[in-house]
Amino acid sequence: MAAVPALLVALLTGWFTVLVSLQYRRNHRLSHWFWALSLAFSCVASLAYCLTLWITPHVPWLFVVYYVFGAMWMPAIMGLGSLSLHFSRRTVLVIAGIVCIVGLIGTVLMVRSPVSTRQLAQLGGGAGTGIIAQGAWLPFLIVLNAFGAAAVFFIALLSAWRTFRRQAHKRLLYGNLWLAAGILIISAAGSAARLGSPAMFWITMFIGWIVTFVGYRLLTPGPAGIVPLSRAS
């Protein structure tokens, strides 16, 4: 039962990945490529977490996969997708290069850090904070998380404001506001875990992804995705 919320996140983000990937096949927009990749990373991370709980004794490298894909890379890549809506392709690719360098250094440092098998055995559905020994990788993770969350949140708010000023369809306005709220909730999941409420981590994550998904559907009505996400800017 402890893995159920994480499994729900994996299923939702997996389906989300398929939908955004299909959109990318139609429009080949850089934003959709980054979003599809970040959603796939979230799905992989959630599945790795589930496998960690299901396999006894828990396998340390599976937990590291969960942390690398879900905590280190996913938020920053999603942020790159949002930046693609308002910045030139060249600018975004330069920023993506910096993100890759920071992420690779952080990943190497994280993989080389010891994993507490005692704490891992007591994972029990929590976020897993403290299982990987804190070290030089932590500042890299914080920077990538802050960049990703800020990029998605503020670009969504900017898109909502521009939609409001243009008096465009209210569906676009609400879609961007739902996206911003979803990312805020997902970011709050990690904060709650660090502040002593790890049991709420996956439930908060699942709620955040539902809200984000609702925002996506508001911005892409109809089975064919009539309104591309990038037009919300």
Side-chain angles (χ1 to χ4, degrees):
M1 290 298 292
V4 170
L7 182 59
L8 291 175
V9 171
L11 293 174
L12 179 57
T13 53
W15 177 236
F16 208 164
T17 301
V18 172
L19 293 179
V20 178
S21 297
L22 290 175
Q23 248 195 326
Y24 173 72
R25 287 186 61 185
R26 289 192 293 269
N27 58 32
H28 298 287
R29 296 179 186 272
L30 187 62
S31 56
H32 290 80
W33 188 86
F34 280 125
W35 281 328
L37 183 61
S38 67
L39 289 165
F41 276 18
S42 178
C43 181
V44 169
S46 303
L47 288 175
Y49 182 92
C50 291
L51 289 172
T52 302
L53 286 179
W54 291 334
I55 298 175
T56 304
H58 298 333
V59 182
W61 70 263
L62 276 173
F63 182 82
V64 174
V65 168
Y66 146 68
Y67 234 77
V68 166
F69 280 85
M72 184 71 71
W73 285 98
M74 185 279 291
I77 295 176
M78 182 164 286
L80 291 172
S82 292
L83 292 182
S84 301
L85 299 178
H86 289 276
F87 294 89
S88 68
R89 184 184 186 91
R90 181 177 179 180
T91 299
V92 173
L93 291 179
V94 169
I95 298 173
I98 297 172
V99 166
C100 285
I101 293 171
V102 174
L104 287 172
I105 295 173
T107 298
V108 171
L109 293 171
M110 180 183 287
V111 169
R112 290 171 61 88
S113 297
V115 176
S116 172
T117 53
R118 182 181 62 83
Q119 292 189 52
L120 183 60
Q122 301 172 357
L123 181 58
T129 306
I131 291 178
I132 301 177
Q134 292 190 9
W137 58 267
L138 187 58
F140 292 89
L141 182 143
I142 293 173
V143 167
L144 291 177
N145 271 260
F147 160 75
V152 176
F153 182 75
F154 287 110
I155 291 295
L157 288 184
L158 177 61
S159 297
W161 171 247
R162 290 185 175 181
T163 301
F164 176 76
R165 291 194 63 184
R166 292 201 315 264
Q167 296 184 338
H169 199 290
K170 287 186 178 180
R171 189 173 189 132
L172 300 180
L173 172 63
Y174 296 147
N176 279 294
L177 291 176
W178 274 78
L179 278 177
I183 295 304
L184 196 62
I185 294 171
I186 291 170
S187 299
S191 300
R194 286 189 291 271
L195 293 174
S197 302
M200 294 300 296
F201 175 76
W202 283 107
I203 295 175
T204 307
M205 285 284 287
F206 183 55
I207 294 172
W209 279 117
I210 289 177
V211 173
T212 303
F213 186 77
V214 170
Y216 165 79
R217 293 307 298 165
L218 286 171
L219 293 170
T220 55
I226 300 170
V227 181
L229 281 171
S230 54
R231 288 187 188 171
S233 57

